[in-house]
Amino acid sequence: MKDNTKPKIIGFCCNWCSYAGADGAGVARIQIQPHFRIIRTMCSSRIDPELILEAFQKGAWGVLVLGCHPGDCHYKSGNYKTLRRIYLLKRVLKQFGIEEERLRLDWVSASEGAQFARIVDEMIETVGKLGPLEMKG
Amino acid sequence: MKRIGVYVCHCGGNISEVVDVKKVAAFAEKQPDVVLVKDDPHMCSEVGQKLVVDDIKEHKLDKVVIAACSPQFHGLTFMSTVANADLSPYVMEMANIREQCSWPHHDFPEEATEKAKALTNIAIAKARLDEPLWKKTMPIGKRVLIIGGGIAGIQAALDLGDAGFEVYLVEKEPSIGGKMTKLSRTFPTEDCAACILSPKMADVPANPNITLLTYSEVENIEGFLGNYEITVKKNPTFVDPDKCTCCDDCTPVCPVAVPDEFEEGLTSRKAIYLPSPIAVPHSYVLDKEACLGLFPLACTKCQDVCEPGAINYDLYPEEIKFTVDTIIVATGYDIFDATQKKVYGFGKYKNVITALDMERMIVYASEGNPMRPMGKRIAFIQCVGSRDEQVGNEYCSRICCMYAIKLSQLLKRGDPKKDVYVFYTDLRAYGKGFEEYYKRAQKVGVKFIRGRVADLIEDSQTKKLTLKAEDTLTRQIIESEFDLVVLSVGMRPNESTGKVASLLTLSKSPDGFLQEAHPKFRPVDTLIEGVFLAGTVQGPKDIPDTVAQASAASSRAIRLMNKGEYEAEPITATVDEDICSGCGTCVSVCPYDAIEIEITDGRRVAKVNEMLCKGCGSCAGACPSGASQQNWFKTDQLRAMVSAAL
């Protein structure tokens, strides 16, 4: 995504729910704007906050972290850890001057292809309005 | 020296009709460490796989990237492909350019090609840093928990018990048998349901390998494949099944009568009762809720007359704990609650009944002991609670057409003077012998009318019912009076499934039934290792399909347990002891208590128990120093993937 005139979104998906949900959107042939790239991990709790900061630093306009719905985590409680971590990270982002809306945590189950498409489209619209991220200082 | 081979799949046009695969291949060729790039119409075919195996050997590839479908679709296929060429399965990476590119972006072909390049580049970046990992061999026992004692659970229990596995069969009702015990006959052969089911039910307690826990519910499940710790709550029946002779002396003296759930509430039973004529265990039970004052004891009439002294009021729920290696979930279905479909007046009009009511009425009538008058004109209404978005159920329940065909012709053949109508949406007679059976119903004079019933009105005097429907084949409006209307109610997930699903974190499909791991190739597996589905818990199905699926689930469980060991994923956590400061953050986030702090050379360091680690990576995500890592998802790999994506 060298072209910086269009939104660039990195999406971290967990293997069991949200990645399967993303596949589900494709299987159902739901049309989504293509300005996002999915990186798969086993659980959303693997996502280190530094990784998200790195994505911003390397030019992402927005970062999506998608996990299983609360209570449905394949690893019992990973998504709750993600929830707490993202909450804290959003407060840190603010201090860096990065708009909070550029980071979004949401839940997508393996059967929610439509939900996945809706979240991505909303995110593309949100960061599309904000434009590219200018890191200050 | 890294030697990466990249393969771009056309997927028979699924990818290549949207994505320019040649451009993707040309892009891949320019990436560092990539020594070979090919595109092929079907990478997953034998030819495609052989291509990879041969290239690995000929070109000494040490990493492979397959840009094709989702790793969740063919990941295992290509992992075994590279293993066939003696590479670790974990040096193969897939770029998902079908489900996550050509399919959701076919309206944007140019950008889809760009995205396919990026996804391939992400996979190359990860492959570059992949280390060869090998599956670990873990011990496993031969113990199985089956939740639900309907025909699915019974079949699975018998298969596993006969094969020499140790089975715990847990059923929440006082008897096993499930919904099938209530049926009159089974389509299309018209076997008596109780006659074919009761020998199987009797086989369960007779099997030395099966521990039967009825009137019991699974309260808690902890652990994982090979070590599921189960807690079951067993409710007291207050009647000792070993002493009860089923003499029936207790029921005449019991002063309490309540609706009999086995008879769908059409008749009543006493507070002490036999759950069904073919109940297994064959023993009376005391209904705690209905009994007059068990605690404190206020009435002892049944105990007074019980000659064998089988009744004991002083019993409390018992907690039973045991450990199993695998679990089969067979919690079944409930029938659709017809009161939700207000237009048909179920529960309000006395001559509107469900098909399950009709099953019981036919059983009684065939024994010369009719429950209630049926009248001369009977109408069946199909698709009640199925294929109906107004009630939130889009799916077809698959059994209702066939049971209506069965019930209607049983009625018509029993009394040819009856007028029996079936109002249907589409008649789905898809199974073996089903179409023939449908024709037989037509021959005996059952009238099939294609049209949904729009209105149903009761005459307040005669209690007869007037149906209004459009016959969509003749384009005529039908308005006709009936004595009895039978609602062909569909299936919905059993109420008790929810608790089991949340204990095991099983996913549901949009219809609320439990989701299988793959709709085509893993129809009885779940995404939780060692947990399988059998019967209608997975979706509506008839008895033959349920039995087939139960046998499939047992054979999948046997496949895991039979060797006494299984291969476990190596994508577990590791700790770099030189960097680890022993802070214990990883210990606090591990959901499996798989990490402990130990003192090594006078220093606190984290140690991972690989047997317990399930590979979520929570510890690696939380480690402040980067000492904690997850195999196959190391931090430098994830960072490289982020860079490649942007």
Side-chain angles (χ1 to χ4, degrees):
Chain A
M1 283 198 270
K2 301 294 171 230
D3 171 13
N4 210 22
T5 60
K6 287 189 183 133
K8 299 183 190 187
I9 292 163
I10 296 285
F12 291 104
C13 284
C14 72
N15 183 58
W16 305 100
C17 291
S18 51
Y19 192 84
D23 277 358
V27 172
R29 311 296 197 278
I30 299 170
Q31 292 304 293
I32 319 171
Q33 297 174 67
H35 315 297
F36 64 99
R37 310 286 184 254
I38 298 297
I39 291 175
R40 179 177 70 120
T41 55
M42 297 311 281
C43 179
S44 61
S45 65
R46 172 64 187 91
I47 304 308
D48 188 333
E50 283 179 46
L51 213 55
I52 294 168
L53 292 174
E54 184 154 345
F56 283 123
Q57 189 223 330
K58 293 209 165 120
W61 293 22
V63 174
L64 270 172
V65 179
L66 302 176
C68 306
H69 283 273
D72 286 353
C73 178
H74 186 81
Y75 302 103
K76 298 198 237 181
S77 56
N79 50 1
Y80 290 111
K81 283 155 205 151
T82 312
L83 179 69
R84 282 180 289 192
R85 211 176 274 165
I86 298 293
Y87 174 75
L88 282 172
L89 183 59
K90 277 180 171 243
R91 295 175 63 172
V92 175
L93 286 183
K94 254 195 213 161
Q95 292 170 12
F96 279 121
I98 299 174
E99 298 86 345
E100 262 192 79
E101 310 90 278
R102 292 189 187 271
L103 174 60
R104 176 169 173 178
L105 170 69
D106 221 316
W107 318 120
V108 175
S109 83
S111 61
E112 289 177 336
Q115 163 90 339
F116 172 83
R118 186 180 60 77
I119 291 169
V120 172
D121 278 337
E122 281 175 14
M123 189 68 177
I124 289 173
E125 198 189 326
T126 305
V127 299
K129 280 182 192 153
L130 293 172
L133 180 61
E134 284 160 31
M135 297 285 268
K136 288 173 191 127
Chain B
M1 189 59 186
K2 292 180 186 93
R3 298 184 59 81
I4 306 176
V6 180
Y7 297 85
V8 186
C9 183
H10 301 198
C11 195
N14 269 308
I15 294 168
S16 56
E17 280 166 13
V18 179
V19 169
D20 188 333
V21 290
K22 297 284 177 199
K23 281 190 184 161
V24 177
F27 167 84
E29 263 170 19
K30 286 184 217 133
Q31 305 311 310
D33 305 322
V34 173
V35 294
L36 181 80
V37 180
K38 287 186 179 168
D39 64 279
D40 190 86
H42 295 284
M43 281 309 300
C44 59
S45 69
E46 206 186 330
V47 179
Q49 291 190 59
K50 190 171 178 296
L51 185 71
V52 179
V53 173
D54 291 346
D55 285 347
I56 290 172
K57 290 180 178 160
E58 192 186 328
H59 298 276
K60 299 200 167 34
L61 303 178
D62 59 2
K63 306 285 167 70
V64 171
V65 169
I66 315 267
C69 52
S70 171
Q72 295 194 341
F73 195 75
H74 267 317
L76 289 174
T77 308
F78 292 114
M79 283 174 103
S80 49
T81 307
V82 300
N84 286 339
D86 301 327
L87 285 186
S88 152
Y90 298 86
V91 296
M92 190 285 300
E93 293 296 337
M94 290 190 76
N96 184 350
I97 62 169
R98 189 178 75 165
E99 283 85 344
Q100 296 190 9
C101 193
S102 67
W103 282 353
H105 305 318
H106 65 68
D107 291 354
F108 316 90
E110 271 176 38
E111 282 166 305
T113 301
E114 286 309 305
K115 181 165 179 176
K117 286 183 196 172
L119 294 176
T120 307
N121 201 24
I122 294 170
I124 293 171
K126 180 165 189 286
R128 195 176 281 130
L129 297 167
D130 274 342
E131 289 161 8
L133 302 167
W134 301 98
K135 292 207 172 187
K136 294 168 293 184
T137 304
M138 307 280 250
I140 188 168
K142 294 194 169 189
R143 302 155 299 180
V144 193
L145 164 67
I146 299 172
I147 310 172
I151 181 59
I154 290 171
Q155 182 66 42
L158 293 175
D159 283 355
L160 285 154
D162 289 346
F165 290 78
E166 190 185 325
V167 178
Y168 294 87
L169 179 60
V170 177
E171 166 58 47
K172 71 176 188 310
E173 300 295 335
S175 168
I176 56 169
K179 302 281 189 301
M180 189 179 165
T181 48
K182 297 187 181 189
L183 306 183
S184 55
R185 307 289 177 91
T186 57
F187 58 78
T189 48
E190 291 185 6
D191 292 301
C192 150
C195 314
I196 56 173
L197 179 60
S198 58
K200 273 193 184 289
M201 290 165 64
D203 283 347
V204 171
N207 193 309
N209 291 330
I210 302 174
T211 305
L212 177 59
L213 299 168
T214 49
Y215 223 21
S216 302
E217 284 178 70
V218 174
E219 286 289 300
N220 197 27
I221 303 175
E222 301 261 354
F224 43 85
L225 171 65
N227 190 29
Y228 283 111
E229 288 166 15
I230 313 295
T231 308
V232 169
K233 185 177 108 187
K234 183 162 174 56
N235 295 304
T237 62
F238 305 99
V239 181
D240 183 343
D242 295 331
K243 288 185 184 163
C244 177
T245 58
C246 297
C247 63
D248 199 39
D249 284 350
C250 50
T251 59
V253 299
C254 177
V256 191
V258 290
D260 187 345
E261 49 281 80
F262 181 72
E263 306 295 356
E264 291 295 296
L266 296 169
T267 62
S268 62
R269 63 161 170 84
K270 292 299 182 66
I272 188 160
Y273 66 108
L274 186 63
S276 88
I278 57 169
V280 170
H282 204 65
S283 167
Y284 278 62
V285 296
L286 183 65
D287 176 349
K288 191 172 82 175
E289 305 305 321
C291 181
L292 279 182
L294 249 184
F295 305 106
L297 193 56
C299 160
T300 60
K301 289 197 167 85
C302 55
Q303 195 184 41
D304 296 343
V305 298
C306 181
E307 223 162 86
I311 301 167
N312 178 2
Y313 303 112
D314 194 22
L315 292 172
Y316 296 87
E318 203 184 333
E319 199 173 79
I320 301 171
K321 285 177 186 272
F322 52 91
T323 307
V324 295
D325 301 281
T326 56
I327 298 174
I328 294 176
V329 182
T331 44
Y333 71 99
D334 283 325
I335 59 169
F336 173 74
D337 173 14
T339 57
Q340 277 188 47
K341 195 72 192 163
K342 294 215 164 43
V343 61
Y344 298 145
F346 178 74
K348 197 167 71 176
Y349 302 156
K350 88 177 209 313
N351 289 324
V352 176
I353 62 169
T354 70
L356 204 48
D357 295 339
M358 181 51 92
E359 296 279 357
R360 295 314 300 160
M361 286 164 65
I362 285 181
V363 171
Y364 271 66
S366 67
E367 285 165 0
N369 180 24
M371 256 179 196
R372 53 168 284 178
M374 290 191 199
K376 192 173 164 294
R377 289 174 59 76
I378 303 172
F380 285 79
I381 300 177
Q382 297 306 106
C383 298
V384 178
S386 312
R387 304 180 68 194
D388 184 350
E389 285 171 52
Q390 282 178 347
V391 297
N393 294 341
E394 208 182 332
Y395 58 87
C396 166
S397 288
R398 296 183 83 216
I399 58 163
C400 326
C401 284
M402 292 312 299
Y403 74 55
I405 288 170
K406 171 193 76 181
L407 293 170
S408 62
Q409 65 181 307
L410 288 175
L411 289 168
K412 184 74 185 171
R413 285 212 306 270
D415 175 7
K417 287 197 213 98
K418 280 194 168 77
D419 289 324
V420 186
Y421 285 75
V422 176
F423 290 87
Y424 66 94
T425 321
D426 295 293
L427 217 305
R428 295 178 169 175
Y430 57 89
K432 190 172 181 174
F434 288 10
E435 185 67 23
E436 297 88 327
Y437 190 54
Y438 172 35
K439 285 208 177 119
R440 213 167 120 201
Q442 289 174 312
K443 255 184 219 151
V444 298
V446 176
K447 298 202 176 59
F448 290 89
I449 294 178
R450 194 179 140 206
R452 280 208 168 191
V453 174
D455 208 0
L456 200 159
I457 298 154
E458 184 194 53
D459 184 316
S460 59
Q461 300 287 308
T462 64
K463 305 291 175 194
K464 290 192 177 195
L465 303 150
T466 302
L467 289 192
K468 278 188 202 164
E470 186 194 351
D471 182 334
T472 54
L473 296 178
T474 62
R475 296 282 175 90
Q476 275 178 336
I477 301 293
I478 295 178
E479 193 172 327
S480 187
E481 197 176 65
F482 289 90
D483 299 306
L484 188 64
V485 168
V486 185
L487 304 180
S488 291
V489 283
M491 289 183 171
R492 64 189 169 97
N494 192 296
E495 220 184 305
S496 61
T497 302
K499 185 176 176 188
V500 176
S502 75
L503 284 174
L504 286 166
T505 67
L506 298 172
S507 331
K508 289 179 183 159
S509 40
D511 54 17
F513 292 94
L514 296 189
Q515 178 134 26
E516 62 283 7
H518 191 283
K520 303 276 191 295
F521 299 130
R522 293 176 68 195
V524 300
D525 295 11
T526 66
L527 290 176
I528 309 297
E529 256 189 318
V531 179
F532 304 94
L533 306 176
T536 51
V537 69
Q538 178 263 342
K541 54 182 66 68
D542 64 0
I543 295 163
D545 284 3
T546 296
V547 170
Q549 209 185 34
S551 288
S554 8
S555 101
R556 294 293 285 170
I558 290 172
R559 173 184 164 271
L560 267 180
M561 296 182 292
N562 198 40
K563 274 193 287 184
E565 57 184 37
Y566 72 98
E567 290 196 315
E569 287 284 348
I571 54 175
T572 45
T574 60
V575 176
D576 183 337
E577 292 187 9
D578 293 338
I579 308 175
C580 177
S581 66
C583 69
T585 304
C586 51
V587 177
S588 70
V589 297
C590 178
Y592 302 99
D593 296 329
I595 315 180
E596 281 179 352
I597 298 291
E598 285 178 11
I599 310 288
T600 306
D601 299 333
R603 283 180 54 225
R604 284 165 53 87
V605 287
K607 294 260 188 199
V608 178
N609 180 340
E610 283 193 9
M611 299 273 281
L612 299 179
C613 176
K614 295 280 115 191
C616 60
S618 290
C619 51
C623 179
S625 67
S628 187
Q629 288 291 334
Q630 183 186 6
N631 283 331
W632 218 32
F633 293 94
K634 297 206 159 169
T635 304
D636 57 351
Q637 290 188 292
L638 294 172
R639 292 180 62 183
M641 289 164 84
V642 168
S643 298
L646 289 165

